[in-house]
Amino acid sequence: MMNGLLTIFVVGILAGPVSVKAQSVPDVVTDTFFNGIIDQSDPSCAGRNFYTRSAFLEAANSYSQFGTADDIKREVAAFFAHVTHETGHFCYIEEIAGPTYPNSQYCDPSYTQYPCNPDKSYYGRGPLQLSWNYNYGPAGQNIGFDGLNSPETVANDPVISFKTALWFWVNNVEQVLSEGFGATIRAINSIECNGGNTAAVQARVGYYTDYCNQLGVDPGPNLSC
């Protein structure tokens, strides 16, 4: 018995360390995972013919830092939990009643570096519902479209749409991932926290824990806000 154990030990040394390939975003965001979200939306939803896994992966190629701030599976779970909540399982491309909302222009004139076009509105569009001139302006500059004069591009081009979500994520959310999922809720829509909209917070947490379970990763602490 001892000779057998010694043989195994020596072979292990001679073979050297086992190489474990790090998982990539496409490895985690599989067809099964992505379709498991979008298939829960109604067949009549506009987003079902707009949002695709291939568009997401093409957009993600421009944001190599996505998936590196924390465990890649936990970050993917967090990102898609918010996307699921914001779009209704990829049903909506634009904010519900966005054009008719009293403050549909979503223009903050104090951001003089991002002047609003009076003929355009900056209501929510895309996977994370990009809103306000101060987000459309810099997002457009980073991605390469005219966010202030053509904000509708976010609702017309699925790759750009996903890029706006990833741009917002890496610039406003990734840095708080280590604090727990609750901190990401606060970064995306702080008015829901501290009792502002308990149902919305619970929905986001529910999606997150579900996706963590699907991906086989611990959701971590501090889930709420």
Side-chain angles (χ1 to χ4, degrees):
M1 182 67 177
M2 289 299 295
N3 287 338
L5 290 175
L6 181 60
T7 300
I8 293 172
F9 178 71
V10 171
V11 169
I13 293 175
L14 294 176
V18 176
S19 176
V20 178
K21 180 180 180 295
Q23 286 190 303
S24 65
V25 171
D27 291 332
V28 180
V29 185
T30 61
D31 282 323
T32 299
F33 178 78
F34 191 94
N35 292 338
I37 299 173
I38 200 168
D39 285 349
Q40 294 186 57
S41 62
D42 191 274
S44 64
C45 290
R48 287 178 69 96
N49 296 314
F50 182 75
Y51 299 113
T52 64
R53 175 177 177 264
S54 61
F56 166 73
L57 293 179
E58 183 177 342
N61 284 335
S62 297
Y63 294 92
S64 59
Q65 62 269 56
F66 178 75
T68 63
D70 191 14
D71 183 293
I72 186 171
K73 292 181 177 180
R74 195 154 38 234
E75 184 166 354
V76 164
F79 177 81
F80 280 96
H82 290 298
V83 168
T84 299
H85 181 74
E86 295 289 338
T87 64
H89 293 90
F90 287 123
C91 180
Y92 304 107
I93 302 171
E94 297 184 306
E95 181 180 347
I96 300 172
T100 60
Y101 190 69
N103 187 30
S104 65
Q105 193 179 20
Y106 284 88
C107 174
D108 187 338
S110 68
Y111 287 84
T112 56
Q113 69 272 45
Y114 303 118
C116 300
N117 182 326
D119 298 321
K120 299 294 182 178
S121 294
Y122 307 102
Y123 53 79
R125 297 179 178 91
L128 285 182
Q129 296 290 282
L130 189 75
S131 305
W132 295 97
N133 58 305
Y134 53 75
N135 283 319
Y136 274 90
Q141 290 174 354
N142 177 265
I143 296 165
F145 74 100
D146 193 342
L148 294 173
N149 294 309
S150 299
E152 62 277 4
T153 303
V154 181
N156 295 330
D157 185 316
V159 175
I160 287 179
S161 196
F162 270 117
K163 282 184 177 182
T164 64
L166 290 163
W167 169 84
F168 186 87
W169 184 266
V170 300
N171 284 285
N172 298 280
V173 185
E174 246 189 1
Q175 61 267 36
V176 302
L177 276 171
S178 61
E179 300 172 28
F181 183 71
T184 70
I185 301 176
R186 191 176 299 279
I188 288 174
N189 199 353
S190 62
I191 62 173
E192 293 178 0
C193 297
N194 301 316
N197 191 336
T198 302
V201 170
Q202 291 176 342
R204 292 179 194 268
V205 172
Y207 295 134
Y208 173 64
T209 55
D210 179 27
Y211 298 158
C212 283
N213 289 336
Q214 288 185 39
L215 298 173
V217 65
D218 189 310
N222 306 321
L223 299 184
S224 191
C225 65

